[in-house]
Amino acid sequence: MAHSATTPAVTEGAYKPFRWFILATLVVVVAVQAIALITPAPLIGEIIKTTSLSPGEVTWMTMGTWNLFVAIAAILGGPLIDKFGFKWMYIFGMVMIGIGWLLMPAIGDNFMGMTVARAVQAIGGGPIMAAGVYVSATCFPKKERAMVNGFLGAAMGLGIMAGLNLGPASMAAVGDWAVGLRNLWPLAVVGILMTVIVMVGPKVAPEGAGMEHLDEAAAASNLALYKKAILMPLTWIATACVVIASWFNQAYNDMTPGYLALDPPVGLGLGAAGAGSIASLAQIGNIVGCLVVGIIVERLFHGKARPALMVAFAGMAVGAGLLLVPGINTNQVMLTTVMLITVFFLGWINASALGWIAKNYPAEITGKLGGMAQGIGIFGGLAGVAAGSAALHATDHYVVSTFIMVGVAIVGVIVSFFMQTHKHHDLESPAPETVTSSGV
């Protein structure tokens, strides 16, 4: 399908250098959102001490609530980003996350109060998660957009790594976990200030760049392509890989800190500080995985998504299972190494699956398909926390929760076996754009 209106060619040099400050703002805002996501996780043991709730109930009210509301907010935030732009959504998100932190000492010590505070933060975090594709498409030339999405994943890992340390450190500084969380609100202010600078800064993209504006006939044709694509099984196989990865990711990042921190026989007894330190060091693997997966897939797997996905899911399954093995879970060096390698493989999944979509579908519908996959994937994360929290509540041990993660990763190996690397020739447009990605 050819565009009815021709978009003039735009060279990379036509984009202004200020886009790199926009990238820095994206990294900071996404990292702050990730810090808000994860900071309660290593504090679950401390929260239990000040409430009458079980580990499963505390895990759900702190982490499950986030995943429920962030999923809804991310999907609903997409149209708002298209209408108002990412800058206002960034400010909205940072304000909501800051308010949630400020509410912690007032209402965070009971189930309903903490649920409200976490819901407020998650409603702010959802649009931030949904804005990455929009930022890359409107502020960067096409050959840099894969790099921007790589930084997006790395910023999430960096924020999680920082949050796992900031939660216990802020609590230790004041002797109260709720006050410690409240004291993180200046991080949201940093994100707001950087976004305001972006607002008053120069327009970075030249005319005719970024999101293409199509006439009604072209838009209708694109819609027909999109409808055709969502009827194809391979579309849903790629989406399923994203959902499974999100399930594993949220379950692993939300459940593991509690497993490390809580006293035996429930956990490993490392305390909040020890759990935060190990879990944060492990996030280095996720950051590296997000940044290097493109090179690995292109050079080692010759651009094929299927073997990369199968290897990654298999590595995740083995890594999660090793958390329960005596001799590994009692040795902090080995435990940290296992966790680092596990999330290194986890960092491959989204880039490989979404990159496969970018390379095998017409460029004009890849945004819709990628957004759909990521939006549905967030609900996979919610399912991961729900299943893990329910198993933990029922058993008061992390064994079943961990076996669920292993099983989900094995399902990922099976699903990714059915991935293909050929193009849908019947979906190709007469004048398709060449889309490159570091993910496949």
Side-chain angles (χ1 to χ4, degrees):
M1 181 195 74
H3 292 294
S4 58
T6 303
T7 301
V10 178
T11 62
E12 179 185 357
Y15 285 79
K16 294 182 180 178
F18 189 71
R19 69 186 186 277
W20 302 115
F21 184 83
I22 294 176
L23 178 61
T25 302
L26 176 149
V27 169
V28 169
V29 169
V30 170
V32 171
Q33 183 263 162
I35 289 171
L37 155 69
I38 205 65
T39 40
L43 301 177
I44 285 175
E46 300 298 323
I47 297 173
I48 291 171
K49 293 177 183 178
T50 60
T51 67
S52 59
L53 302 172
S54 71
E57 289 172 322
V58 173
T59 300
W60 175 255
M61 79 176 185
T62 55
M63 312 310 297
T65 299
W66 173 282
N67 282 279
L68 173 61
F69 282 91
V70 84
I72 296 170
I75 293 174
L76 296 180
L80 295 177
I81 292 167
D82 288 337
K83 183 174 183 179
F84 298 109
F86 73 93
K87 302 163 193 173
W88 283 111
M89 290 297 99
Y90 274 7
I91 288 180
F92 169 78
M94 291 290 96
V95 168
M96 295 293 280
I97 286 171
I99 290 173
W101 274 327
L102 291 170
L103 288 174
M104 289 297 175
I107 64 175
D109 60 349
N110 63 82
F111 189 92
M112 185 54 66
M114 174 61 84
T115 298
V116 170
R118 292 295 282 166
V120 167
Q121 290 190 307
I123 290 170
I128 292 172
M129 293 182 64
V133 174
Y134 184 93
V135 174
S136 64
T138 55
C139 300
F140 292 83
K142 286 187 176 181
K143 71 178 185 178
E144 293 177 354
R145 291 174 192 174
M147 174 271 297
V148 173
N149 287 315
F151 270 85
L152 179 67
M156 281 294 295
L158 181 64
I160 290 173
M161 182 171 68
L164 289 167
N165 283 307
L166 281 174
S170 60
M171 182 197 72
V174 296
D176 186 306
W177 63 264
V179 175
L181 290 178
R182 181 202 64 190
N183 291 344
L184 298 178
W185 66 266
L187 297 175
V189 175
V190 174
I192 292 171
L193 292 176
M194 293 186 71
T195 304
V196 169
I197 294 173
V198 172
M199 281 182 160
V200 300
K203 181 180 179 181
V204 298
E207 293 297 327
M211 297 289 191
E212 289 80 6
H213 299 282
L214 307 178
D215 61 23
E216 291 184 6
S221 183
N222 282 355
L223 181 60
L225 276 176
Y226 175 68
K227 289 180 177 178
K228 192 172 184 180
I230 62 176
L231 294 176
M232 292 186 167
L234 287 176
T235 301
W236 293 103
I237 291 172
T239 301
C241 289
V242 176
V243 172
I244 294 167
S246 182
W247 178 312
F248 187 97
N249 178 50
Q250 292 303 327
Y252 196 85
N253 286 327
D254 293 351
M255 304 294 292
T256 303
Y259 172 61
L260 299 177
L262 294 175
D263 291 333
V266 179
L268 300 180
L270 300 179
S277 177
I278 291 178
S280 65
L281 284 174
Q283 285 302 315
I284 295 174
N286 186 41
I287 296 170
V288 174
C290 289
L291 295 177
V292 306
V293 60
I295 298 173
I296 292 173
V297 172
E298 290 296 336
R299 296 187 179 180
L300 185 61
F301 298 112
H302 308 292
K304 297 179 180 179
R306 177 166 60 181
L309 289 166
M310 292 182 68
V311 168
F313 277 123
M316 290 156 54
V318 173
L322 290 176
L323 292 175
L324 300 176
V325 176
I328 291 178
N329 60 16
T330 54
N331 184 309
Q332 292 193 23
V333 174
M334 293 185 67
L335 183 61
T336 303
T337 302
V338 165
M339 292 179 63
L340 190 151
I341 294 173
T342 303
V343 296
F344 171 77
F345 284 121
L346 176 61
W348 291 19
I349 306 297
N350 277 8
S352 297
L354 296 175
W356 180 88
I357 290 175
K359 291 180 70 173
N360 289 279
Y361 289 86
E364 51 265 43
I365 63 170
T366 53
K368 295 183 183 68
L369 293 172
M372 177 190 72
Q374 289 176 308
I376 297 174
I378 295 172
F379 282 100
L382 174 63
V385 178
S389 298
L392 178 60
H393 180 64
T395 65
D396 274 333
H397 292 280
Y398 282 88
V399 175
V400 176
S401 301
T402 304
F403 280 147
I404 292 173
M405 287 191 289
V406 173
V408 166
I410 292 173
V411 171
V413 175
I414 296 170
V415 170
S416 58
F417 174 78
F418 295 98
M419 283 290 294
Q420 302 294 327
T421 56
H422 66 273
K423 288 188 175 183
H424 289 306
H425 293 291
D426 55 339
L427 269 180
E428 287 182 352
S429 49
E433 298 179 64
T434 300
V435 180
T436 60
S437 171
S438 64
V440 286

